[in-house]
Amino acid sequence: MFLSTSALLSVKDLVFMALQLVAANAIGKEQIGSVNNDNNLILFIHSIMSGNYMKKNNYDKYFLPNMNDARKRTYKSLIKTNKFTISNQYKNIGKNFYYYIRTYGCQANIRDTEQIKGILEAIGFKETENVNQANLVILNTCAVRENAENKVFGEIGLLKRLTNKKNFYFGVCGCMAQEKSVVDKIVNKSKHINFVIGTHNIHMLPEVLYRAIKLKERVIHVLSKEEEIIENLPSVRQSNIKAFVNIMYGCDKFCTYCIVPYTRGRIRSRGKDDILNEINNLVKHGCKEVTLLGQNVNSYGIDINNKYYFSNLLEDVAKTNIPRVRFVTCNPWNFDLKIIKVMKKYKNIMPYIHLPVQSGDEQILIKMNREMLINDYLKIIKSLKKEIKDISISTDIIVGFPNESNIQFQHTLDLYNKVKFDNAYTFIYSKREGTPASLIEDKISNTIKQKRLQMLNELVKKYAKWNNEKYLNQILQVLVEGRSKTNKNVWFGYSPQWKVVNFMGDTKIGDIVDVKILSASRFSLNGILLGNKFRER
């Protein structure tokens, strides 16, 4: 992957990458002396990115993350599925203790937190919403952008005051824990952190806590390779009416800017029966909506080789007759048009799709290692709009990828004007250590990037409101989620198109009600509750 990306860069860029590594003391100047041509330089930098020249801190008693191992992919399926169990010696570790978890990042982290809570309560802990009451604080972290990491380290510093309490334990987990630089920093500078675990070994939390609480050990246990899926993890779900369901883990795409393939590991698809059993159990307990989760749900099943793919799974989930089905994220490079056919066939699959494009310029997409032509992306959009009535489409866009030109940025604006997305999650490029893009010399100032982001966000606002106004005087089905925080007389929920709808009337959480839309803003729709509580789309 990195070789093909490097070949797109100039020799000057490649030399700069190597010199940057010298400046960071990752390699020595004498090692560059042996590089005598372009191809050797590419191979040399690839070996650096593979960890062959990286300096290592040796902490014999810790299991530290290893970026070299995290990059490795084998295409022979080695995935094992095991059931979660708790040893008797761990079952009362948390008796009379309270826990507090703060979650950063995406839906995958939210789902991980639900399972962490389930494990904690299975070994005796009780949850508190007051961090000052907690005996155990866990930060479930995100590594997608530098700003998220800075927030976590700020929080680690602020919460240090609690460590003077008797019987207090402080842990870090999630994607940041999979980064060696982060763990090195915690080990050396955040001595008040009692334990660190990664995304691959949440199931080991009882053992880790036993060692931290009973044996008074500092536990750093982060796995860099994952070859198993743990089923049957207990959960404390954040909602009784909506649920996230993992259908797969990991990513093998390696976009050059993205840390996720390193922090979440290789693709591992869950078994069909495990997924459907989980959903059927949710339906049995009154759940009204499931969201199928994966870094790229299109890739579901490709690691199993049994000719059962995401479109097949989506159809089987729809057949469970749960009222609402959603899925994220659905990346465009291997989008299967069979997905559209299934969405059209089953009315309980919601007319909403998140389809990240990241840039409207094909040269930038090549440098991002995103194998996609803009015309191919537009064909998918055209098919979705043609086949799925009132479909809502959102996307992700990165502004200011290294050395993005004004013309290349304009291509992104042109694409946005052409598609007229319902919404977009927009970000300035964030350098992530260990990714190929982080080694590219970037000559664009942050001021220019901020201006570009502002220009893009003006389009996001314009088309968000324009799309919402299409629903004026229409009747939408709304899954009721609760009361407004600012006005207890107002209910809120979501339409099939993932639109926030505010309304007044006699209803309750979990009802699916008909609401007539009377006004629209960029952020939400407002309407009145009609008499009938449920009607087929």
Side-chain angles (χ1 to χ4, degrees):
M1 177 279 306
F2 185 72
L3 285 175
S4 63
T5 304
S6 299
L8 297 167
L9 306 174
S10 68
V11 174
K12 182 179 178 182
D13 284 333
L14 293 167
V15 171
F16 179 81
M17 291 180 188
L19 292 176
Q20 286 289 88
L21 288 164
V22 171
N25 292 319
I27 58 175
K29 292 180 182 177
E30 69 281 357
Q31 291 168 315
I32 292 182
S34 61
V35 180
N36 53 22
N37 60 50
D38 187 10
N39 288 333
N40 283 348
L41 188 55
I42 292 171
L43 290 168
F44 177 63
I45 291 175
H46 180 257
S47 69
I48 293 168
M49 293 297 296
S50 297
N52 294 339
Y53 289 109
M54 292 294 181
K55 286 187 172 181
K56 298 179 181 179
N57 291 322
N58 185 23
Y59 306 113
D60 291 337
K61 65 179 181 177
Y62 300 144
F63 287 88
L64 297 173
N66 184 300
M67 292 292 277
N68 188 22
D69 288 342
R71 287 186 186 94
K72 291 178 181 177
R73 294 295 187 272
T74 56
Y75 295 96
K76 180 181 178 182
S77 181
L78 300 173
I79 303 302
K80 299 175 289 186
T81 299
N82 292 310
K83 298 292 185 181
F84 175 76
T85 58
I86 298 176
S87 172
N88 287 333
Q89 65 178 327
Y90 305 144
K91 287 187 176 178
N92 291 310
I93 298 171
K95 187 176 181 181
N96 300 321
F97 283 176
Y98 289 91
Y99 74 89
Y100 176 93
I101 302 180
R102 188 163 293 168
T103 307
Y104 304 80
C106 67
Q107 298 97 328
N109 270 22
I110 293 171
R111 181 68 187 122
D112 285 350
T113 289
E114 292 178 338
Q115 293 179 327
I116 291 169
K117 288 182 177 183
I119 293 171
L120 292 177
E121 296 191 9
I123 58 177
F125 285 90
K126 295 180 181 179
E127 185 175 13
T128 178
E129 295 182 0
N130 180 0
V131 69
N132 295 307
Q133 185 187 16
N135 303 98
L136 171 65
V137 171
I138 297 178
L139 303 183
N140 188 7
T141 62
C142 173
V144 172
R145 280 171 287 280
E146 184 179 12
N147 186 47
E149 290 194 2
N150 291 338
K151 285 182 180 178
V152 170
F153 276 113
E155 202 66 25
I156 287 173
L158 288 173
L159 293 173
K160 185 177 181 179
R161 60 183 173 81
L162 297 176
T163 59
N164 294 324
K165 289 169 46 178
K166 184 180 179 181
N167 293 324
F168 180 82
Y169 305 91
F170 196 174
V172 173
C173 66
C175 289
M176 278 178 63
Q178 295 292 147
E179 298 179 90
K180 187 174 185 300
S181 60
V182 168
V183 177
D184 283 348
K185 187 174 179 179
I186 289 173
V187 168
N188 291 312
K189 296 184 178 181
S190 300
K191 304 291 187 180
H192 57 291
I193 299 293
N194 300 100
F195 65 91
V196 179
I197 61 171
T199 59
H200 301 323
N201 58 332
I202 289 172
H203 61 285
M204 295 178 64
L205 190 56
E207 176 190 344
V208 168
L209 287 171
Y210 180 85
R211 290 170 59 191
I213 295 172
K214 298 296 185 181
L215 304 182
K216 307 302 179 186
E217 295 180 5
R218 192 182 195 203
V219 185
I220 312 293
H221 199 125
V222 182
L223 304 178
S224 296
K225 288 183 67 178
E226 178 56 63
E227 296 179 350
E228 64 179 351
I229 293 174
I230 305 298
E231 293 290 351
N232 204 38
L233 287 169
S235 291
V236 176
R237 297 203 180 257
Q238 64 176 5
S239 169
N240 293 324
I241 61 168
K242 296 172 65 174
F244 293 128
V245 175
N246 291 314
I247 65 168
M248 59 178 294
Y249 307 93
C251 178
D252 290 347
K253 182 57 186 170
F254 287 98
C255 296
T256 60
Y257 56 84
C258 187
I259 197 71
V260 170
Y262 309 95
T263 62
R264 288 281 172 179
R266 62 171 288 191
I267 287 177
R268 288 105 60 206
S269 299
R270 292 180 66 196
K272 173 187 74 170
D273 291 340
D274 291 318
I275 295 167
L276 295 177
N277 287 341
E278 181 176 346
I279 292 171
N280 283 320
N281 188 55
L282 288 165
V283 173
K284 181 180 177 181
H285 288 88
C287 184
K288 299 294 180 67
E289 177 179 299
V290 294
T291 299
L292 309 179
L293 293 184
Q295 296 300 327
N296 177 17
V297 293
N298 306 353
S299 297
Y300 174 82
I302 65 173
D303 57 319
I304 300 176
N305 284 326
N306 63 359
K307 296 184 179 180
Y308 184 89
Y309 302 113
F310 179 63
S311 57
N312 307 112
L313 176 66
L314 184 61
E315 182 163 22
D316 283 341
V317 171
K319 288 177 179 177
T320 65
N321 291 321
I322 189 164
R324 291 187 167 197
V325 180
R326 301 186 189 274
F327 53 90
V328 289
T329 293
C330 197
N331 284 313
W333 59 75
N334 60 348
F335 188 87
D336 184 356
L337 294 180
K338 292 178 183 177
I339 296 171
I340 299 177
K341 292 181 180 179
V342 175
M343 292 179 71
K344 183 178 181 180
K345 181 177 179 181
Y346 293 92
K347 299 305 180 184
N348 59 342
I349 301 175
M350 296 295 95
Y352 166 76
I353 193 166
H354 184 66
L355 203 64
V357 67
Q358 303 300 359
S359 174
D361 182 81
E362 289 180 356
Q363 288 303 308
I364 292 294
L365 290 174
I366 289 171
K367 291 180 179 180
M368 289 179 168
N369 195 33
R370 292 178 69 84
E371 302 165 7
M372 180 183 63
L373 299 175
I374 294 302
N375 279 340
D376 291 339
Y377 184 85
L378 290 173
K379 286 178 184 177
I380 297 172
I381 297 294
K382 183 178 179 180
S383 295
L384 285 164
K385 290 184 175 182
K386 178 183 177 182
E387 299 296 333
I388 312 298
K389 181 182 177 182
D390 293 330
I391 192 166
S392 173
I393 303 172
S394 62
T395 194
D396 292 338
I397 296 177
I398 294 172
V399 170
F401 188 80
N403 303 316
E404 177 190 57
S405 69
N406 288 329
I407 293 175
Q408 288 171 328
F409 173 65
Q410 183 60 48
H411 290 161
T412 295
L413 297 181
D414 293 343
L415 177 66
Y416 208 98
N417 278 312
K418 190 172 290 186
V419 176
K420 300 178 177 64
F421 294 99
D422 286 72
N423 195 18
Y425 301 91
T426 60
F427 310 96
I428 291 176
Y429 165 74
S430 181
K431 182 188 293 189
R432 309 311 301 130
E433 182 178 342
T435 62
S438 69
L439 297 176
I440 303 174
E441 180 184 11
D442 188 6
K443 298 177 182 178
I444 307 173
S445 70
N446 194 55
T447 300
I448 291 175
K449 293 181 182 183
Q450 291 284 357
K451 287 181 179 178
R452 289 178 181 174
L453 182 65
Q454 186 176 358
M455 291 172 64
L456 177 59
N457 283 342
E458 288 303 313
L459 284 185
V460 174
K461 293 175 188 176
K462 172 184 173 181
Y463 289 116
K465 186 173 183 182
W466 179 80
N467 279 295
N468 281 354
E469 286 175 341
K470 292 188 296 186
Y471 298 101
L472 290 174
N473 297 314
Q474 288 195 30
I475 297 172
L476 297 180
Q477 287 182 357
V478 178
L479 174 58
V480 183
E481 295 197 22
R483 294 186 182 273
S484 167
K485 292 181 180 179
T486 58
N487 185 344
K488 296 302 180 183
N489 294 318
V490 175
W491 293 93
F492 79 92
Y494 282 85
S495 75
Q497 300 82 7
W498 196 241
K499 306 288 184 181
V500 177
V501 181
N502 301 303
F503 62 95
M504 297 178 68
D506 181 18
T507 187
K508 65 180 184 299
I509 293 174
D511 282 345
I512 297 177
V513 298
D514 285 337
V515 176
K516 184 174 182 179
I517 305 304
L518 301 179
S519 65
S521 69
R522 173 200 167 191
F523 301 103
S524 63
L525 305 172
N526 301 294
I528 57 172
L529 177 67
L530 300 184
N532 52 319
K533 287 192 174 181
F534 183 79
R535 189 184 62 184
E536 290 294 327
R537 248 174 60 210

